[in-house]
Amino acid sequence: MANKLHVSPSSRSRSPILLCTLSFLALSLLFFLFSLSSSQTRNLSSFPDPNLTLKPETSFVTSLEHFLTVKASKSSPIRDDTVLQVTEEDVKELDEKMFVKESERVYGNVYYPVEFPIRVYVYEMPRKFTYELLWLFRNTYRETGNLTSNGSPVHRLIEQHSIDYWLWADLIAPESERLLKTVVRVHRQEEADLFYIPFFTTISFFLLEKQQSKALYREVLKWVTDQPAWKRSEGRDHILPVHHPWSFKSVRRYMKNAIWLLPDMDSTGNWYKPGQVFLEKDLILPYVPNVDLCDAKCLSESESKRTTLIFFRGRLKRNAGGKIRAKLVAELSGADGVVIEEGSAGEEGKAAAQFGMRKSVFCLSPAGDTPSSARLFDAIVSGCIPVIVSDELELPFEGILDYRKIALFVSSSDAIQPGWLLQFLKGISPVQLRDMRKNLAKYSRHFLYSSPAQPWGPEDLVWRMMAGKLVNIKLHTRRSQRLVKESRSICTCECKRTNFTGPSSV
């Protein structure tokens, strides 16, 4: 008989313990290796989730300080796109390369969405057009005695019109820090849908001597119009930020084909010549608010404190279209529930405006020297329902936003009739007021510039609006390229009126 293997009772009792111990050690080793691998993956990743690491900064001064002293110092050396000499062959070569890229999108195997992302080439301009102007603002910001002729602090005005900084800072930020999916920066011109010109027109206008700024404008004009991409389209696919209506005036007629970023159309003709600006070509951007955001908690707490019916603080006497203010002041002054104050945009003015808007149900928004003013956007972020008395006003992002949900529009002729405006406002039902305040809370995000730029913030809405312009831009660009000498350069009444197809010349 074969020998049987004898296992002692003590051996049988140790086997399960030994197996459990070995299993535990094996699992521990696997967990350790997995943790090590995950850690290395996280460390090597160049695209961390920015939602977890980056808090949006909405203060222009704070954001600019960080940009100049931290980000700019860490960035790689800047390539200069300055062109010394451009030939007709250079322009044809770029046009052919852009045709090849377009063909790849149309006939390639990969489907490209029509709208997004928009591909933008950002010019690398000489530092005197970009960084040096930002440093000039930063180094003189505390010089509070620098005022315009009507007493407004110059640096505060620059902040209100600083859309050129916010857009540029987002476009050139590392992809790991960007949140927007509607636009992507490309580094080859033939890949671009649009070309961004990063020149700070408002800073140069206010902080340089008059002749100095005019000389710089001429340099910028020559630099940009010498570019092959400009010559190819005559500037139709170029974006030019000219958000303050006084800025860049001496040369902007030579760049009338470009897409201008404006505060308003100003159809009064005081600031823009006929044919220079129109909705089909240009884009209106909101002012940067001069007051802090009244968030959901603030709105809830201020609800019972809004004891003023209608509030206004600002310059009471203005030129041109702003003359309606004097008539409104005469009509409303002294009435119950009305607060009208003279004031400017300095630090004290900011605090007073913020306090008054958060105590008011309605905020009066009449035309200034132009049909628009920053006061409208101050009211929106304060939860104060704007009462817009500006017959020629054009509004930012109106293709996306319905302002009837957050503001009341009143004609100038009605507003100055004795007793009409107050009776109208008192007739707004509590239900409508509640709905409008809820919508104000939702809409505020669309008017808060920030770094990093936020989805559905103003920077994002710029590119969503630009998507609607792209086909028309390419239409007019290609049409201008194929017209022969004898062609009648007539397209539609709109084209003829605006001279959109006419070439620029210096």
Side-chain angles (χ1 to χ4, degrees), residues 157-167 202 241-244 260-265 283-290 372-381 393-398 400-401 403 406 443-450 456-463 465:
L157 279 176
I158 293 172
E159 286 186 73
Q160 291 179 1
H161 294 278
S162 60
I163 59 99
D164 41 17
Y165 164 76
W166 294 106
L167 285 172
T202 303
V242 281
H243 200 257
H244 194 284
W260 290 7
L261 305 182
L262 304 165
D264 204 295
M265 290 287 113
L283 192 63
I284 298 169
L285 270 64
Y287 292 68
V288 176
N290 190 44
S372 65
S373 73
R375 189 168 295 99
L376 167 61
F377 309 103
D378 290 347
I380 291 172
V381 301
L393 178 66
E394 299 291 351
L395 293 161
F397 316 135
E398 201 163 7
I400 298 171
L401 307 178
Y403 285 84
I406 62 169
Y443 272 47
S444 291
R445 65 188 293 194
H446 305 311
F447 305 101
L448 291 175
Y449 295 88
S450 66
W456 294 101
E459 300 93 337
D460 192 24
L461 295 192
V462 165
W463 305 113
M465 292 291 290

Side-chain angles (χ1 to χ4, degrees), residues 232-249:
R232 171 188 171 272
S233 68
E234 295 174 336
R236 292 179 177 87
D237 51 7
H238 284 56
I239 299 171
L240 177 68
V242 281
H243 200 257
H244 194 284
W246 296 347
S247 66
F248 215 55
K249 284 188 75 171

Side-chain angles (χ1 to χ4, degrees), residues 14 74 151 157 160 164 173 203 243 282 302 364 374 376 491:
R14 286 198 300 268
K74 293 181 179 179
L157 279 176
Q160 291 179 1
D164 41 17
I203 294 178
H243 200 257
D282 303 310
S302 65
L364 186 63
L376 167 61
C491 172

Side-chain angles (χ1 to χ4, degrees), residues 294 297-306 358 382:
C294 187
K297 182 174 181 292
C298 166
L299 286 170
S300 176
E301 293 175 348
S302 65
E303 185 71 26
S304 61
K305 300 176 183 177
R306 295 184 182 270
R358 293 186 182 186
S382 298

Side-chain angles (χ1 to χ4, degrees), residues 119-156:
R119 294 163 287 269
V120 177
Y121 183 87
V122 183
Y123 281 124
E124 298 284 6
M125 302 182 76
R127 295 181 70 91
K128 62 182 175 182
F129 299 146
T130 55
Y131 287 95
E132 289 183 12
L133 290 173
L134 292 177
W135 275 107
L136 178 61
F137 176 91
R138 184 259 188 189
N139 292 337
T140 59
Y141 177 71
R142 299 190 182 281
E143 295 178 9
T144 55
N146 192 356
L147 306 175
T148 64
S149 57
N150 63 20
S152 298
V154 163
H155 288 81
R156 181 67 70 188

Side-chain angles (χ1 to χ4, degrees), residues 361-390:
V361 177
F362 299 104
C363 284
L364 186 63
S365 182
D369 287 343
T370 61
S372 65
S373 73
R375 189 168 295 99
L376 167 61
F377 309 103
D378 290 347
I380 291 172
V381 301
S382 298
C384 185
I385 299 170
V387 179
I388 298 174
V389 187
S390 183

